[in-house]
Structures are given as structure tokens and as C-alpha cells.
Amino acid sequence: MQRYLFSAIIVTALLTGACSARGSEVPKNMPPLEDPRIARAVTALGTLPPAVAANIEATLRAEPVRFFSLLDAALAESESKGDLFVLVDKKHALPRGYEPGDLVSLNTYPLATTRKDLRLRTAVMDAVMEMQAAAMADGVRLVFASSYRSYEYQDGLFKRYVASHGEAEASRFSARPGTSQHQLGTAVDFDPIDDAFAATKAGAWMSANGWRFGFSLSFPAGMEHVTGYIWESWHYRYITKPGALLEKDYFGGVQQYFFEFLDACRKITG
Ligand SMILES: [Zn+2]
């Protein structure tokens, strides 16, 4: 199962180039003067709600060189580190046996944690440590409270939430096994894992600065109809620095739209 997933990731990572600057073929049904990169990106945007897609397209057309430069840099980092842009949400699950091959204990780094069994992918640790140092320099203490979670761990967690809150309510703030970003090993929860985090110094600092280090707020306020989850001010996913900048400046800071766009790009072979 794991080998199959890695093969799938490699194939999809290559296909993601469909929306990057590297392809140069002009689709037969496109006007000859339309930049093929823009045409493909606009096609991929067509999978998003029309008003959202129109806004992103207008921003893209205003600064296409910057858009594709950021996209290419983000895709290059993702390909070199092992796919960082896997779409995992309520409709896209990871295989049960999926576990990243480069997990490392946070205990081996000078990081504040609430427990001793936290692990993340080695591929994101440079960014984590750079962010941690910047926060410290600003007098802010980041405390890591959750990180990689296996399928089985998430299964137990979701069942406990269902028992205490009921299934409908539990699914608003907890993922079913296989659909959690935590299984990727690139997502973190900061302490405290509740709404109080937003009002802490760390919460305000992450909200203002997380993107500078490639970390994106996965479930923003007021976006439950898009992400499937309530506002989780404490939950961030690493999406590379250029990826976070792209998401902030072109996708309205909505990670779900950015990932759905990337997923659509992967399905375009023209
Ligand atoms: Zn989380």
C-alpha cells in the first residue's frame, strides 16, 4: 500500500507541472494569443466556485509572472521533499497504511512541547526551527501540542469525540481516520488546542507571521462551508514559503482553494 502511494505521489507530482511554466504546448481549442500557462491555470480554477475563481483569475492576470514564479518554486520544493501538496480533506483520504518515511521526534530539537511523543517530517524541520527562532526573537513562545498522527491514532481520537459530542458535531472539528492533515506529518497544533489560542501572543504571532515560514492556517474563521471544519486557530500546515505567499496573495488565504487548484492542475494533462 505504501509503495503504491509513493508511486502515485510521484506521478501526480509530475503532472502538477501542467499548470506550471514548464509546459509550452498550446491547447488546440485556445486562442493563439492566450498564454498557455494562463489558459491551463484558468481551466484548473474552473473547479472552484465561480466568484472565487473570477477573483483569483483577475489577480493572476494582473501579475502572471509573479504567480508562475511562486508556483514553480513551490512545486520544485514539494517535488524535492516528497509531495507537500497532497489534498487531504473530507473527500480525499490517505490510505490506511500511509506513514511518512522521514518522521523525527521533536524531542531531538530545542522546542517546547506539551507531550513527549510528537513527531514531524524531517523535511519540514528547517522551516519549523526558523519559525521558532523568529518567534523567540519577537518574545513569543510557541508550544507544540500535536503533530503527526497515525491512521489508528486518529481513528481512536475521532471515536472518542463521537462518544462525547455525537457524530455530526465531532465531524465539525475532528477528522475521520485517513482524512486528517496530521497523518501527513506536516501539520501542527499549537498549545492550547482550543479557541483561546487565537487571543494568545503565540496565536497573534502565528496569524501574522506563519506564512513567512511556509505555514498556512488550514481552517480559517467563517470557512466551514469550504473546509468542512470550524475555525481552528491553532492548526497550521507547512506548504512551503512560496506556496504560502501564493495562497495569501492570490487565493485569499484559503488553503482549501489553493489545494483544490493544485489538484485540478494535476488532472490537466494538456
Ligand atoms: Zn490539528
Side-chain angles (χ1 to χ4, degrees), residues 146-147 149 154 157 173 180-182 187-190 193 218-219 232 234-236:
S146 190
S147 52
R149 293 183 204 145
Q154 188 70 31
L157 192 63
F173 63 84
S180 172
Q181 292 188 349
H182 286 286
V188 297
D189 290 336
F190 293 100
I193 306 180
S218 299
F219 313 115
E232 293 193 358
W234 58 88
H235 177 112
Y236 283 80

Side-chain angles (χ1 to χ4, degrees), residues 1-3 5-6 94-100 148 150-152 178 183:
M1 184 65 89
Q2 208 165 339
R3 180 173 298 176
L5 179 77
F6 282 125
L94 291 167
R96 185 185 188 108
Y98 175 70
E99 179 177 303
Y148 167 73
S150 68
Y151 182 102
E152 288 72 22
Q183 197 179 339

